[in-house]
Coordinates of all heavy atoms in Angstrom, one line a residue:
M1063 N 0.8 -1.2 0.0 CA 0.0 0.0 0.0 C 0.9 1.3 0.0 O 1.9 1.3 0.7 CB -0.9 0.0 1.3 CG -1.8 1.2 1.3 SD -3.1 0.9 2.5 CE -3.5 2.6 2.7
L1064 N 0.5 2.2 -0.8 CA 1.3 3.5 -0.9 C 1.0 4.4 0.3 O -0.1 4.5 0.7 CB 0.9 4.2 -2.2 CG 1.4 3.6 -3.5 CD1 0.7 4.4 -4.6 CD2 2.9 3.7 -3.6
S1065 N 2.0 4.9 0.9 CA 1.8 5.9 1.9 C 1.7 7.3 1.2 O 2.3 7.5 0.1 CB 3.0 5.9 2.9 OG 4.2 6.1 2.2
A1066 N 1.1 8.2 1.9 CA 0.9 9.5 1.3 C 2.3 10.2 1.2 O 3.0 10.2 2.1 CB -0.1 10.3 2.1
V1067 N 2.5 10.8 0.1 CA 3.7 11.6 -0.1 C 3.3 13.1 -0.2 O 2.5 13.4 -1.0 CB 4.5 11.2 -1.3 CG1 5.7 12.1 -1.5 CG2 4.9 9.8 -1.2
V1068 N 3.9 13.9 0.7 CA 3.5 15.3 0.6 C 4.6 16.1 -0.1 O 5.8 16.0 0.2 CB 3.4 15.9 2.1 CG1 3.1 17.4 2.0 CG2 2.3 15.2 2.8
I1069 N 4.2 16.7 -1.2 CA 5.2 17.4 -2.0 C 4.9 18.9 -1.8 O 3.8 19.4 -2.1 CB 5.1 17.1 -3.5 CG1 5.4 15.6 -3.6 CG2 6.1 17.9 -4.3 CD1 5.1 15.1 -5.0
L1070 N 5.9 19.6 -1.2 CA 5.7 21.0 -1.0 C 5.9 21.7 -2.3 O 6.8 21.4 -3.0 CB 6.8 21.6 0.0 CG 6.5 21.3 1.5 CD1 7.7 21.7 2.3 CD2 5.3 22.0 2.0
P1071 N 5.0 22.7 -2.6 CA 5.3 23.5 -3.8 C 6.6 24.2 -3.7 O 7.0 24.7 -2.6 CB 4.1 24.5 -3.9 CG 3.3 24.3 -2.7 CD 3.9 23.1 -1.9
L1072 N 7.3 24.4 -4.8 CA 8.6 25.1 -4.7 C 8.5 26.5 -4.2 O 9.3 27.0 -3.4 CB 9.2 25.1 -6.1 CG 10.7 25.6 -6.2 CD1 11.6 24.8 -5.4 CD2 11.1 25.6 -7.7
S1073 N 7.3 27.1 -4.5 CA 7.1 28.5 -4.0 C 7.1 28.6 -2.5 O 7.6 29.5 -1.9 CB 5.8 29.0 -4.6 OG 4.8 28.2 -4.2
A1074 N 6.6 27.5 -1.9 CA 6.6 27.5 -0.4 C 8.0 27.4 0.2 O 8.3 28.0 1.2 CB 5.7 26.4 0.1
V1075 N 8.8 26.6 -0.5 CA 10.2 26.4 -0.1 C 11.0 27.7 -0.3 O 11.8 28.1 0.6 CB 10.9 25.3 -0.9 CG1 12.4 25.2 -0.5 CG2 10.2 24.0 -0.7
L1076 N 10.7 28.4 -1.3 CA 11.5 29.6 -1.6 C 10.9 30.9 -0.9 O 11.7 31.9 -0.8 CB 11.5 29.9 -3.1 CG 12.2 28.8 -4.0 CD1 12.1 29.2 -5.4 CD2 13.7 28.7 -3.6
A1077 N 9.7 30.9 -0.5 CA 9.1 32.1 0.0 C 9.9 32.7 1.1 O 10.3 32.0 2.0 CB 7.6 31.7 0.5
G1078 N 10.1 33.9 1.1 CA 10.8 34.6 2.2 C 12.3 34.5 2.1 O 13.0 35.1 2.9
E1079 N 12.8 33.8 1.1 CA 14.2 33.7 1.0 C 14.9 34.9 0.3 O 16.0 35.2 0.5 CB 14.6 32.4 0.2 CG 14.1 31.1 0.9 CD 14.8 30.9 2.2 OE1 16.0 31.2 2.4 OE2 14.0 30.6 3.2
D1080 N 14.2 35.5 -0.6 CA 14.8 36.4 -1.5 C 14.1 37.8 -1.3 O 12.9 37.9 -1.7 CB 14.7 35.9 -2.9 CG 15.5 36.8 -3.8 OD1 16.0 37.9 -3.4 OD2 15.6 36.4 -5.0
E1081 N 14.8 38.8 -0.9 CA 14.2 40.1 -0.7 C 13.7 40.7 -2.0 O 12.8 41.5 -2.0 CB 15.3 41.0 -0.1 CG 14.7 41.8 1.1 CD 15.9 42.5 1.9 OE1 16.6 41.9 2.7 OE2 16.0 43.7 1.6
E1082 N 14.3 40.3 -3.1 CA 13.9 40.9 -4.4 C 12.4 40.5 -4.6 O 11.7 41.3 -5.3 CB 14.8 40.3 -5.5 CG 16.2 40.8 -5.4 CD 16.3 42.3 -5.3 OE1 15.7 43.0 -6.2 OE2 17.0 42.8 -4.4
D1083 N 12.0 39.4 -4.1 CA 10.6 39.0 -4.3 C 9.6 40.0 -3.7 O 8.4 40.0 -4.0 CB 10.3 37.6 -3.7 CG 11.0 36.5 -4.4 OD1 11.5 36.8 -5.6 OD2 11.2 35.4 -3.9
Y1084 N 10.1 40.8 -2.8 CA 9.2 41.7 -2.1 C 9.4 43.2 -2.5 O 9.1 44.1 -1.7 CB 9.3 41.6 -0.5 CG 8.9 40.2 0.0 CD1 9.7 39.1 0.1 CD2 7.5 40.0 0.3 CE1 9.3 37.9 0.5 CE2 7.0 38.8 0.7 CZ 7.9 37.8 0.8 OH 7.5 36.5 1.3
G1085 N 9.9 43.4 -3.6 CA 10.1 44.7 -4.2 C 11.0 45.6 -3.3 O 10.8 46.8 -3.2
G1086 N 11.9 45.0 -2.5 CA 12.8 45.8 -1.7 C 12.2 46.0 -0.3 O 12.9 46.7 0.5
L1087 N 11.1 45.5 0.0 CA 10.5 45.7 1.4 C 11.4 44.9 2.4 O 11.7 43.8 2.1 CB 9.1 45.2 1.5 CG 8.0 45.9 0.7 CD1 6.7 45.2 0.8 CD2 7.8 47.3 1.2
P1088 N 11.9 45.6 3.4 CA 12.8 44.9 4.4 C 12.0 43.8 5.1 O 10.8 43.9 5.3 CB 13.2 46.0 5.3 CG 12.2 47.1 5.1 CD 11.6 47.0 3.8
P1089 N 12.8 42.8 5.6 CA 12.1 41.7 6.3 C 11.5 42.2 7.6 O 12.0 43.1 8.2 CB 13.3 40.7 6.6 CG 14.5 41.2 5.9 CD 14.2 42.6 5.4
G1090 N 10.4 41.5 8.0 CA 9.7 41.9 9.2 C 8.3 41.3 9.2 O 7.8 41.0 8.2
A1091 N 7.7 41.3 10.4 CA 6.4 40.8 10.6 C 5.4 41.7 9.7 O 5.5 42.9 9.9 CB 6.0 40.8 12.0
G1092 N 4.6 41.1 8.9 CA 3.6 41.8 8.1 C 4.1 42.1 6.7 O 3.4 42.7 5.9
R1093 N 5.4 41.8 6.4 CA 5.9 42.1 5.1 C 5.0 41.5 4.0 O 4.7 42.2 3.0 CB 7.3 41.7 4.9 CG 7.8 41.9 3.5 CD 9.3 41.8 3.4 NE 9.8 40.4 3.5 CZ 11.0 40.0 3.1 NH1 11.9 40.9 2.7 NH2 11.4 38.8 3.3
E1094 N 4.7 40.2 4.1 CA 4.0 39.5 3.1 C 2.6 40.2 2.9 O 2.1 40.4 1.7 CB 3.8 38.1 3.4 CG 3.6 37.2 2.2 CD 3.8 35.7 2.5 OE1 4.6 35.4 3.4 OE2 3.2 34.9 1.8
T1095 N 1.9 40.5 4.0 CA 0.6 41.1 3.9 C 0.7 42.4 3.2 O -0.1 42.8 2.3 CB 0.0 41.3 5.3 OG1 0.2 40.1 6.1 CG2 -1.4 41.8 5.3
T1096 N 1.7 43.2 3.6 CA 1.9 44.5 3.0 C 2.2 44.4 1.5 O 1.6 45.1 0.6 CB 3.1 45.2 3.7 OG1 2.9 45.3 5.1 CG2 3.3 46.6 3.1
F1097 N 3.1 43.4 1.1 CA 3.4 43.2 -0.3 C 2.2 42.9 -1.1 O 1.9 43.5 -2.1 CB 4.5 42.1 -0.4 CG 4.8 41.9 -1.8 CD1 5.8 42.7 -2.5 CD2 4.2 40.8 -2.5 CE1 6.1 42.4 -3.8 CE2 4.6 40.6 -3.9 CZ 5.5 41.4 -4.5
D1098 N 1.4 41.9 -0.5 CA 0.2 41.5 -1.3 C -0.8 42.7 -1.5 O -1.4 42.8 -2.5 CB -0.5 40.4 -0.5 CG 0.3 39.1 -0.6 OD1 1.2 39.0 -1.4 OD2 0.0 38.1 0.2
A1099 N -0.9 43.5 -0.5 CA -1.9 44.6 -0.5 C -1.4 45.7 -1.4 O -2.2 46.4 -2.0 CB -2.3 45.1 0.9
C1100 N -0.1 46.0 -1.4 CA 0.4 47.2 -2.0 C 1.1 47.0 -3.4 O 1.5 48.0 -4.0 CB 1.4 47.9 -1.1 SG 0.7 48.0 0.6
N1101 N 1.3 45.8 -3.8 CA 2.0 45.6 -5.0 C 1.1 45.4 -6.2 O 1.5 45.2 -7.3 CB 2.9 44.3 -4.9 CG 4.0 44.2 -6.0 OD1 4.7 45.1 -6.2 ND2 4.0 43.1 -6.7
A1102 N -0.2 45.6 -6.0 CA -1.2 45.3 -7.1 C -1.2 46.4 -8.1 O -1.2 46.1 -9.3 CB -2.6 45.1 -6.5
C1103 N -1.2 47.6 -7.7 CA -1.3 48.7 -8.7 C 0.0 49.3 -9.1 O 0.2 49.8 -10.2 CB -2.2 49.8 -8.1 SG -3.8 49.3 -7.6
H1104 N 0.9 49.4 -8.1 CA 2.2 49.9 -8.3 C 3.2 49.0 -7.7 O 2.8 48.2 -6.8 CB 2.4 51.3 -7.8 CG 1.9 51.6 -6.4 ND1 2.4 50.9 -5.3 CD2 0.8 52.3 -6.0 CE1 1.7 51.3 -4.2 NE2 0.7 52.1 -4.6
S1105 N 4.5 49.1 -8.1 CA 5.5 48.2 -7.4 C 5.6 48.5 -5.9 O 5.4 49.6 -5.5 CB 6.8 48.4 -8.1 OG 7.8 47.9 -7.3
A1106 N 5.8 47.4 -5.2 CA 6.0 47.6 -3.7 C 7.3 48.4 -3.5 O 7.5 49.0 -2.4 CB 6.2 46.2 -3.1
M1107 N 8.1 48.5 -4.5 CA 9.3 49.4 -4.5 C 8.9 50.8 -4.2 O 9.6 51.5 -3.4 CB 9.9 49.3 -5.9 CG 11.3 49.9 -5.9 SD 12.5 48.6 -5.5 CE 12.5 47.6 -7.0
L1108 N 7.8 51.3 -4.7 CA 7.3 52.6 -4.5 C 7.1 52.8 -3.0 O 7.3 53.9 -2.4 CB 6.0 52.9 -5.2 CG 5.4 54.3 -5.1 CD1 6.3 55.3 -5.8 CD2 4.0 54.3 -5.7
V1109 N 6.6 51.8 -2.3 CA 6.4 51.8 -0.9 C 7.7 51.7 -0.1 O 7.9 52.5 0.8 CB 5.4 50.6 -0.5 CG1 5.2 50.6 1.0 CG2 4.1 50.7 -1.2
A1110 N 8.6 50.8 -0.6 CA 9.8 50.6 0.1 C 10.7 51.8 0.1 O 11.6 51.9 1.0 CB 10.5 49.4 -0.5
Q1111 N 10.5 52.7 -0.9 CA 11.4 53.9 -1.0 C 11.0 55.0 0.0 O 11.7 55.9 0.3 CB 11.2 54.5 -2.4 CG 12.0 53.7 -3.4 CD 11.6 54.1 -4.8 OE1 10.6 54.8 -5.0 NE2 12.4 53.7 -5.8
Q1112 N 9.7 54.9 0.6 CA 9.3 56.0 1.4 C 9.8 55.8 2.9 O 10.2 54.7 3.3 CB 7.7 55.9 1.5 CG 7.0 55.8 0.2 CD 7.0 57.1 -0.6 OE1 7.1 58.2 -0.1 NE2 7.1 56.9 -1.9
R1113 N 9.9 56.9 3.5 CA 10.3 57.0 5.0 C 9.3 57.9 5.6 O 9.4 59.1 5.5 CB 11.7 57.5 5.2 CG 12.8 56.6 4.6 CD 12.9 55.2 5.4 NE 13.9 54.4 4.8 CZ 13.8 53.5 3.8 NH1 12.6 53.4 3.2 NH2 14.8 52.8 3.4
L1114 N 8.3 57.4 6.3 CA 7.2 58.2 6.7 C 6.9 57.9 8.2 O 7.1 56.8 8.7 CB 5.9 58.0 5.9 CG 6.0 58.2 4.4 CD1 4.7 57.7 3.7 CD2 6.3 59.6 4.0
A1115 N 6.4 59.0 8.9 CA 5.9 58.8 10.3 C 4.6 58.0 10.2 O 3.9 58.0 9.2 CB 5.7 60.2 10.9
R1116 N 4.3 57.4 11.4 CA 3.1 56.5 11.4 C 1.8 57.2 11.0 O 1.0 56.6 10.3 CB 3.0 55.9 12.9 CG 1.9 54.9 13.0 CD 1.7 54.3 14.4 NE 0.7 53.4 14.5 CZ 0.8 52.0 14.4 NH1 2.0 51.5 14.2 NH2 -0.2 51.2 14.5
D1117 N 1.6 58.4 11.5 CA 0.4 59.1 11.1 C 0.3 59.4 9.6 O -0.8 59.4 9.0 CB 0.1 60.3 12.0 CG 1.2 61.4 11.8 OD1 2.4 61.0 11.5 OD2 1.0 62.5 12.1
I1118 N 1.4 59.6 9.0 CA 1.4 59.8 7.5 C 1.1 58.5 6.8 O 0.4 58.5 5.8 CB 2.7 60.4 7.1 CG1 3.1 61.7 7.9 CG2 2.6 60.8 5.6 CD1 2.2 62.8 7.8
W1119 N 1.7 57.4 7.3 CA 1.4 56.1 6.7 C -0.1 55.8 6.8 O -0.8 55.4 5.9 CB 2.1 54.9 7.4 CG 3.5 54.7 6.8 CD1 4.7 54.7 7.5 CD2 3.8 54.4 5.5 NE1 5.7 54.5 6.6 CE2 5.2 54.3 5.4 CE3 3.1 54.3 4.3 CZ2 5.9 54.0 4.2 CZ3 3.8 54.0 3.1 CH2 5.1 53.8 3.1
D1120 N -0.7 56.2 8.0 CA -2.1 56.0 8.3 C -2.9 56.7 7.2 O -3.8 56.2 6.6 CB -2.4 56.5 9.7 CG -3.6 55.9 10.3 OD1 -4.2 55.0 9.7 OD2 -4.0 56.4 11.4
E1121 N -2.5 58.0 7.0 CA -3.2 58.8 6.0 C -3.0 58.3 4.6 O -3.9 58.3 3.8 CB -2.7 60.2 6.1 CG -3.2 61.0 7.3 CD -2.5 62.4 7.4 OE1 -1.9 62.8 6.5 OE2 -2.6 62.9 8.6
T1122 N -1.8 57.7 4.4 CA -1.5 57.2 3.0 C -2.5 56.0 2.7 O -3.0 55.9 1.6 CB -0.1 56.7 2.9 OG1 0.8 57.9 3.2 CG2 0.2 56.2 1.5
L1123 N -2.7 55.1 3.8 CA -3.6 54.0 3.6 C -5.0 54.5 3.2 O -5.7 54.0 2.3 CB -3.6 53.1 4.8 CG -2.3 52.4 5.1 CD1 -2.4 51.5 6.4 CD2 -1.8 51.6 4.0
D1124 N -5.5 55.5 4.0 CA -6.8 56.1 3.7 C -6.8 56.6 2.3 O -7.8 56.5 1.5 CB -7.1 57.2 4.7 CG -7.5 56.6 6.1 OD1 -7.8 55.4 6.2 OD2 -7.4 57.4 7.0
W1125 N -5.8 57.3 1.9 CA -5.7 57.9 0.6 C -5.8 56.9 -0.5 O -6.4 57.1 -1.5 CB -4.4 58.7 0.5 CG -4.2 59.5 -0.8 CD1 -5.1 60.3 -1.4 CD2 -3.0 59.5 -1.6 NE1 -4.5 60.8 -2.6 CE2 -3.2 60.3 -2.7 CE3 -1.7 58.9 -1.4 CZ2 -2.2 60.6 -3.6 CZ3 -0.8 59.1 -2.4 CH2 -1.0 59.9 -3.5
M1126 N -5.1 55.7 -0.3 CA -5.1 54.7 -1.3 C -6.5 54.1 -1.5 O -7.0 53.9 -2.6 CB -4.2 53.5 -0.9 CG -2.7 53.8 -1.0 SD -2.2 54.2 -2.7 CE -1.6 55.8 -2.4
V1127 N -7.3 54.0 -0.4 CA -8.6 53.5 -0.4 C -9.6 54.5 -1.0 O -10.4 54.3 -1.9 CB -9.1 53.1 1.0 CG1 -10.6 52.7 1.0 CG2 -8.2 51.9 1.5
E1128 N -9.5 55.8 -0.5 CA -10.5 56.8 -0.8 C -10.3 57.4 -2.2 O -11.3 57.7 -2.9 CB -10.5 57.9 0.2 CG -11.2 57.4 1.5 CD -10.8 58.3 2.7 OE1 -10.4 59.4 2.5 OE2 -11.0 57.8 3.8
E1129 N -9.0 57.5 -2.6 CA -8.8 58.2 -3.9 C -8.2 57.3 -5.0 O -8.3 57.6 -6.2 CB -7.8 59.4 -3.7 CG -8.2 60.4 -2.6 CD -9.3 61.3 -3.1 OE1 -9.6 61.4 -4.3 OE2 -10.0 61.9 -2.2
Q1130 N -7.5 56.2 -4.6 CA -6.8 55.4 -5.6 C -7.5 54.1 -5.9 O -6.9 53.3 -6.7 CB -5.3 55.2 -5.2 CG -4.6 56.5 -4.7 CD -4.6 57.6 -5.8 OE1 -4.8 57.3 -7.0 NE2 -4.4 58.8 -5.3
G1131 N -8.6 53.8 -5.3 CA -9.3 52.6 -5.6 C -8.9 51.3 -5.0 O -9.2 50.2 -5.4
M1132 N -8.1 51.5 -3.9 CA -7.7 50.3 -3.2 C -8.9 49.7 -2.4 O -9.7 50.5 -1.8 CB -6.6 50.5 -2.2 CG -6.0 49.3 -1.6 SD -4.5 49.6 -0.6 CE -5.2 49.9 1.0
D1133 N -9.1 48.4 -2.4 CA -10.1 47.8 -1.6 C -9.8 48.1 -0.1 O -8.7 48.0 0.3 CB -10.1 46.3 -1.7 CG -10.7 45.9 -3.1 OD1 -11.4 46.7 -3.7 OD2 -10.4 44.7 -3.5
A1134 N -10.9 48.4 0.7 CA -10.7 48.7 2.1 C -10.1 47.4 2.8 O -10.4 46.3 2.4 CB -12.0 49.0 2.7
L1135 N -9.2 47.6 3.7 CA -8.5 46.5 4.4 C -9.3 46.1 5.6 O -10.0 46.9 6.2 CB -7.1 47.0 4.8 CG -6.1 47.4 3.7 CD1 -5.0 48.2 4.3 CD2 -5.6 46.2 3.0
E1136 N -9.3 44.8 5.9 CA -9.8 44.3 7.1 C -9.1 45.0 8.3 O -7.9 45.2 8.1 CB -9.6 42.8 7.2 CG -10.4 42.0 6.2 CD -11.9 42.1 6.3 OE1 -12.4 42.2 7.5 OE2 -12.6 42.2 5.3
P1137 N -9.8 45.3 9.4 CA -9.1 46.0 10.5 C -7.8 45.3 10.9 O -6.8 46.0 11.2 CB -10.1 46.0 11.6 CG -11.4 45.8 10.9 CD -11.2 45.1 9.7
E1138 N -7.8 44.0 11.0 CA -6.6 43.2 11.5 C -5.5 43.4 10.5 O -4.3 43.6 10.8 CB -7.0 41.8 11.7 CG -5.9 40.9 12.3 CD -5.4 41.5 13.6 OE1 -6.1 42.1 14.4 OE2 -4.1 41.5 13.8
E1139 N -5.9 43.3 9.2 CA -4.9 43.4 8.1 C -4.3 44.8 8.1 O -3.1 45.0 7.9 CB -5.6 43.1 6.8 CG -4.8 42.7 5.7 CD -5.7 42.5 4.4 OE1 -6.9 42.8 4.4 OE2 -5.1 42.0 3.4
R1140 N -5.2 45.8 8.2 CA -4.7 47.2 8.2 C -3.7 47.5 9.3 O -2.7 48.2 9.1 CB -6.0 48.1 8.4 CG -5.7 49.6 8.0 CD -6.9 50.4 8.3 NE -6.8 51.7 7.6 CZ -6.0 52.7 8.1 NH1 -5.2 52.5 9.1 NH2 -5.9 53.8 7.4
K1141 N -4.0 46.9 10.5 CA -3.1 47.1 11.7 C -1.8 46.5 11.4 O -0.7 47.1 11.7 CB -3.8 46.5 12.9 CG -2.9 46.7 14.2 CD -3.6 46.1 15.4 CE -2.7 46.4 16.6 NZ -1.3 45.9 16.5
Q1142 N -1.8 45.3 10.8 CA -0.6 44.6 10.5 C 0.3 45.4 9.5 O 1.5 45.6 9.7 CB -0.9 43.3 9.8 CG -0.4 42.1 10.5 CD -0.6 40.8 9.7 OE1 -1.1 40.8 8.5 NE2 -0.2 39.7 10.2
I1143 N -0.4 45.9 8.5 CA 0.3 46.7 7.5 C 0.9 48.0 8.1 O 2.0 48.4 7.9 CB -0.6 47.0 6.3 CG1 -0.9 45.7 5.6 CG2 0.0 48.0 5.4 CD1 -1.9 45.8 4.5
L1144 N 0.0 48.7 8.9 CA 0.5 50.0 9.5 C 1.6 49.7 10.5 O 2.6 50.5 10.5 CB -0.7 50.6 10.2 CG -0.5 52.0 10.7 CD1 0.0 53.0 9.6 CD2 -1.8 52.6 11.3
D1145 N 1.5 48.7 11.2 CA 2.6 48.3 12.2 C 3.9 48.0 11.4 O 5.0 48.5 11.7 CB 2.3 47.1 13.0 CG 1.3 47.4 14.1 OD1 1.1 48.6 14.4 OD2 0.8 46.4 14.7
Y1146 N 3.8 47.3 10.3 CA 4.9 47.0 9.5 C 5.6 48.2 8.9 O 6.8 48.5 9.1 CB 4.6 46.0 8.4 CG 5.7 45.8 7.4 CD1 6.7 44.9 7.7 CD2 5.8 46.6 6.2 CE1 7.8 44.8 6.8 CE2 6.9 46.5 5.4 CZ 7.9 45.6 5.6 OH 8.9 45.5 4.8
L1147 N 4.7 49.1 8.3 CA 5.2 50.3 7.6 C 5.9 51.2 8.6 O 7.0 51.7 8.4 CB 4.1 51.0 6.9 CG 3.5 50.3 5.7 CD1 2.2 51.0 5.2 CD2 4.5 50.1 4.6
S1148 N 5.2 51.4 9.8 CA 5.8 52.4 10.7 C 7.0 51.9 11.5 O 7.7 52.7 12.1 CB 4.7 52.9 11.6 OG 4.0 51.9 12.3
T1149 N 7.2 50.6 11.5 CA 8.3 50.0 12.2 C 9.5 50.0 11.2 O 10.6 50.3 11.6 CB 8.0 48.6 12.7 OG1 6.9 48.6 13.5 CG2 9.2 48.0 13.4
H1150 N 9.3 49.5 10.0 CA 10.4 49.2 9.1 C 10.6 50.3 8.1 O 11.7 50.3 7.4 CB 10.1 47.8 8.4 CG 10.1 46.7 9.4 ND1 11.2 46.2 10.0 CD2 9.0 46.1 9.9 CE1 10.8 45.2 10.8 NE2 9.5 45.1 10.8
L1151 N 9.7 51.2 7.9 CA 9.9 52.3 6.9 C 9.5 53.6 7.6 O 8.7 54.4 7.1 CB 9.0 52.1 5.7 CG 9.4 50.8 4.9 CD1 8.4 50.5 3.8 CD2 10.8 50.9 4.2
S1152 N 10.1 53.8 8.8 CA 9.8 55.0 9.6 C 10.8 56.1 9.2 O 11.7 55.9 8.4 CB 10.0 54.7 11.1 OG 11.3 54.7 11.4
R1153 N 10.5 57.3 9.7 CA 11.4 58.4 9.5 C 12.9 58.1 9.8 O 13.8 58.7 9.3 CB 10.9 59.6 10.3 CG 9.5 60.1 9.9 CD 9.5 60.8 8.5 NE 10.2 62.0 8.6 CZ 9.7 63.2 9.0 NH1 8.5 63.2 9.4 NH2 10.4 64.2 9.0
D1154 N 13.1 57.2 10.8 CA 14.4 56.9 11.3 C 15.1 55.7 10.6 O 16.2 55.4 10.9 CB 14.3 56.5 12.8 CG 13.7 57.6 13.6 OD1 13.9 58.8 13.3 OD2 13.0 57.3 14.6
T1155 N 14.3 55.1 9.7 CA 14.9 53.9 9.0 C 16.0 54.4 8.0 O 15.7 55.3 7.2 CB 13.8 53.2 8.2 OG1 12.8 52.8 9.1 CG2 14.4 51.9 7.6
P1156 N 17.2 53.9 8.1 CA 18.2 54.4 7.1 C 17.8 53.9 5.7 O 17.2 52.9 5.5 CB 19.5 53.6 7.5 CG 19.2 52.8 8.7 CD 17.7 52.9 9.0
R1157 N 18.2 54.7 4.7 CA 17.9 54.4 3.3 C 18.9 53.4 2.8 O 20.1 53.5 3.2 CB 17.9 55.7 2.5 CG 16.6 56.4 2.7 CD 16.5 57.6 1.8 NE 15.3 58.4 2.1 CZ 14.1 58.2 1.5 NH1 14.0 57.3 0.5 NH2 13.1 58.9 1.8
Ligands
LIG1384 C1 -6.0 50.2 -6.3 C2 -4.6 50.5 -6.6 C3 -3.6 50.8 -5.5 C4 -3.3 50.0 -4.4 C5 -3.8 48.6 -4.1 C6 -2.3 50.7 -3.7 N1 -2.0 51.9 -4.3 FE1 -0.6 53.2 -3.6 N2 -0.9 54.3 -5.3 C7 -1.9 54.1 -6.2 C8 -1.8 55.2 -7.2 C9 -2.7 55.2 -8.5 C10 -0.8 56.0 -6.9 C11 -0.3 57.3 -7.5 C12 -1.1 58.4 -7.0 C13 -0.7 59.8 -7.4 O1 0.5 60.0 -7.3 O2 -1.5 60.5 -7.8 C14 -0.2 55.5 -5.6 C15 0.8 56.0 -4.9 C16 1.3 55.6 -3.7 C17 2.4 56.2 -3.0 C18 3.3 57.3 -3.5 C19 2.9 58.6 -2.9 C20 3.8 59.7 -3.3 O3 4.1 60.5 -2.5 O4 4.2 59.7 -4.5 C21 2.6 55.5 -1.9 C22 3.6 55.7 -0.7 C23 1.6 54.4 -1.9 N3 0.9 54.5 -3.0 C24 1.4 53.5 -0.9 C25 0.6 52.4 -1.0 C26 0.5 51.4 0.0 C27 1.3 51.4 1.4 C28 -0.3 50.4 -0.4 C29 -0.8 49.2 0.3 C30 -1.4 49.3 1.6 C31 -0.8 50.9 -1.7 N4 -0.2 52.1 -2.0 C32 -1.7 50.2 -2.5 C33 -2.8 53.0 -6.3 C34 -2.8 52.0 -5.4

């Protein structure tokens, strides 16, 4: 009798290994969520280049939804993204 063989997709093996896959977003909790939400219309690179204070990131997220046609984020998802952005792309983050 054959035993079940689990084959992991290659993408799962490679995920998170290569920073280039995230448009230059630095590693950190919430990076994948941020990438998925922000790479749809413009490159995540556009996001990775910014250095903003938390309240400005907050406003930027609203601006994306209200003026740029981004789907509203679930509260949990929004918090994750805002935490990620204000931690890893803050005014104090070196370029
Ligand atoms: C539905 C499409 C869409 C999605 C999704 C989206 N954006 Fe944007 N974003 C735009 C457009 C369009 C512009 C250009 C607006 C302009 O400059 O008039 C833009 C511009 C920007 C800019 C540049 C602002 C500047 O000063 O030039 C930032 C930063 C940004 N987006 C952040 C984000 C982040 C963070 C996310 C994910 C949470 C995101 N965007 C998701 C459409 C989108």
Side-chain angles (χ1 to χ4, degrees):
M1063 180 162 159
L1064 286 172
S1065 57
V1067 176
V1068 178
I1069 300 171
L1070 284 174
L1072 188 59
S1073 57
V1075 176
L1076 295 177
E1079 295 300 316
D1080 188 352
E1081 228 169 280
E1082 295 305 309
D1083 291 346
Y1084 293 92
L1087 292 174
R1093 173 167 72 165
E1094 201 166 333
T1095 311
T1096 305
F1097 180 82
D1098 288 346
C1100 309
N1101 196 55
C1103 304
H1104 46 67
S1105 165
M1107 194 86 76
L1108 182 69
V1109 177
Q1111 284 167 349
Q1112 312 288 328
R1113 296 292 181 272
L1114 304 173
R1116 186 180 179 96
D1117 58 335
I1118 309 294
W1119 275 124
D1120 205 6
E1121 285 169 18
T1122 302
L1123 295 183
D1124 287 341
W1125 181 48
M1126 288 301 120
V1127 173
E1128 285 161 20
E1129 307 285 342
Q1130 311 303 337
M1132 185 172 93
D1133 288 341
L1135 298 162
E1136 296 295 323
E1138 188 49 40
E1139 200 182 9
R1140 194 183 195 287
K1141 182 179 182 302
Q1142 239 189 1
I1143 292 173
L1144 187 56
D1145 284 348
Y1146 171 82
L1147 293 170
S1148 54
T1149 304
H1150 298 283
L1151 298 168
S1152 78
R1153 298 287 293 278
D1154 302 327
T1155 306
R1157 284 186 184 267

